[in-house]
Amino acid sequence: MKLFLLCVLLCLSSALCSAEVKPLRIAIPDYPPYTALAQGEFSGPGYDAFVAIMAEAGLEYRLTPVPNFGRALLDMQNQLIDVFFLATENAERSHVARFSAPVIITDWSWVWLKEHHALEPGSTKFKQNALVSAQMNSNIFSWLEQQNYKITAGTNDIHGLFNLLDFNRVDAIMLPSGVARALIARQKLDAARYNIQQEVSLPFGFYISNSYLAAQPDILQRLNKAIAVFHSKTAVAE
């Protein structure tokens, strides 16, 4: 009997260890400059922060590139991934996942063609009359809908967003200003053609699925502690 109990305990211990070292399945987008994907490798300040935080937390992971966070959310609902990053918070995501402490701050900005002199983003007239868009399945797109802007379908891939402006399909698009400038540079567009105006500032962080947290409830605490260490080291470096 004692031998049997010992075997059971050893098996349980082995199972717990295996669960501890099981890599997190993490969805991450090609979202320059934060997380830029080129030749199968990620780079950028968001990715650098991610790597530092995961190392500090002592967590192994496997990255899955995704076109947008609509796809990431669907994969999380189907339990194909455990985490997505970088993400901003919204109610739909928070139904299936927990949001971490902020990692970096992003802004959502209007971008429009300078030749359209009459456009005034932020004005009542703009909100009532301007046709706008954003990346499909993004938090920005959802926010525009909730704020009752006149919104039309965007593009699933962030890289096609400027086509909506350049071919006059919309009056303005919304995306982080850093992403807008990175896309302008990557696509070799004429930066002098566009106005960029910040609308709102929000934190980027991790979303960890509720189902994963049910099995590993300490992961969020470990990530948040690692994020705090990352910020303290960044502050010292500055």
Side-chain angles (χ1 to χ4, degrees), residues 154-176:
T155 59
N156 281 315
D157 188 334
I158 194 76
H159 300 83
L161 206 51
F162 271 85
N163 288 335
L164 299 178
L165 281 182
D166 293 341
F167 290 98
N168 291 305
R169 291 175 56 192
V170 297
D171 297 306
I173 56 175
M174 181 178 276
L175 68 169

Side-chain angles (χ1 to χ4, degrees), residues 194-205:
Y194 307 100
N195 284 320
I196 300 176
Q197 177 179 302
Q198 181 175 328
E199 176 70 20
V200 64
S201 182
L202 293 168
F204 266 146

Side-chain angles (χ1 to χ4, degrees), residues 12-27:
L12 286 173
S13 176
S14 176
L16 288 172
C17 290
S18 296
E20 178 65 25
V21 300
K22 185 179 179 182
L24 282 161
R25 299 169 300 173
I26 300 178

Side-chain angles (χ1 to χ4, degrees), residues 105-177:
I105 302 298
T106 186
D107 64 74
W108 293 352
S109 297
W110 292 110
V111 183
W112 72 101
L113 292 171
K114 286 184 178 179
E115 63 194 55
H116 296 162
H117 305 289
L119 283 182
E120 296 180 4
S123 68
T124 301
K125 182 179 178 181
F126 177 86
K127 188 171 185 178
Q128 292 175 343
N129 300 319
L131 187 61
V132 303
S133 196
Q135 184 183 21
M136 294 290 290
N137 300 305
S138 69
N139 200 11
I140 298 178
F141 195 93
S142 297
W143 183 85
L144 290 171
E145 290 180 316
Q146 292 163 11
Q147 298 298 314
N148 296 316
Y149 281 93
K150 291 182 64 177
I151 187 168
T152 188
T155 59
N156 281 315
D157 188 334
I158 194 76
H159 300 83
L161 206 51
F162 271 85
N163 288 335
L164 299 178
L165 281 182
D166 293 341
F167 290 98
N168 291 305
R169 291 175 56 192
V170 297
D171 297 306
I173 56 175
M174 181 178 276
L175 68 169
S177 61

Side-chain angles (χ1 to χ4, degrees), residues 213-226:
L213 288 172
Q216 299 283 355
D218 69 319
I219 291 298
L220 183 57
Q221 184 179 16
R222 287 174 65 177
L223 271 176
N224 285 341
K225 285 183 177 179

